[in-house]
Amino acid sequence: MKLLTKAQRERLLKNGATRPDNPKPVAKWFNPTGSATWLLTELDPENPDAIAFGLADLGMGYPELGSISVTEIAAYRGRFGLPIERDRHFRARHGIRVYAEAARAAGRIVEYGPELDAAAARHHCAAHA
């Protein structure tokens, strides 16, 4: 499976060029035999095959926003020789700041639950203040 669809790649490149303030994640990658997960918001327009930006959770309890090596992730093979996969069903409901805040509270990336609900409520209130 390809890590990005053509539409996702175009959206990630657009985000990388325009640098929106709080973009929704465009793609979710995960390790099918481990606990690592990534939510991507943009690709570096000058080096799109090598560098992405987003929320990275390597399964150690400390998810963080930052640069992600597309090259390393694409080359990685885990147990049973399985590569990193794209979550074909992922659809972001919030901006990356909500996911980052919820991930810090939960110690891992979450797509639902009390940490995400609380972070979304705080950001919704702040946006309307």
Side-chain angles (χ1 to χ4, degrees):
M1 172 188 304
K2 290 173 46 173
L3 284 174
L4 294 172
T5 65
K6 182 179 179 184
Q8 287 173 325
R9 183 176 171 81
E10 289 172 2
R11 180 67 188 190
L12 290 165
L13 283 168
K14 180 180 177 189
N15 285 350
T18 61
R19 304 296 311 260
D21 183 46
N22 186 26
K24 286 185 176 180
V26 175
K28 175 185 174 187
W29 292 345
F30 67 95
N31 180 344
T33 62
S35 55
T37 305
W38 299 264
L39 299 181
L40 307 178
T41 58
E42 56 196 79
L43 287 172
D44 181 339
E46 295 181 21
N47 206 353
D49 294 323
I51 302 171
F53 182 84
L55 181 61
D57 175 4
L58 301 180
M60 295 182 271
Y62 302 99
E64 62 183 25
L65 288 168
S67 296
I68 298 162
S69 173
V70 175
T71 308
E72 286 181 27
I73 290 175
Y76 178 82
R77 295 296 178 267
R79 282 185 273 160
F80 314 113
L82 293 174
I84 300 302
E85 294 185 15
R86 171 177 43 92
D87 184 340
R88 298 179 343 184
H89 304 287
F90 175 74
R91 301 289 179 268
R93 298 183 338 233
H94 307 285
I96 193 67
R97 290 182 187 177
V98 170
Y99 287 101
E101 183 179 320
R104 283 190 293 274
R108 59 186 169 75
I109 291 176
V110 292
E111 293 183 60
Y112 54 87
E115 297 90 356
L116 189 64
D117 294 343
R122 279 191 292 278
H123 282 267
H124 179 74
C125 289
H128 290 83

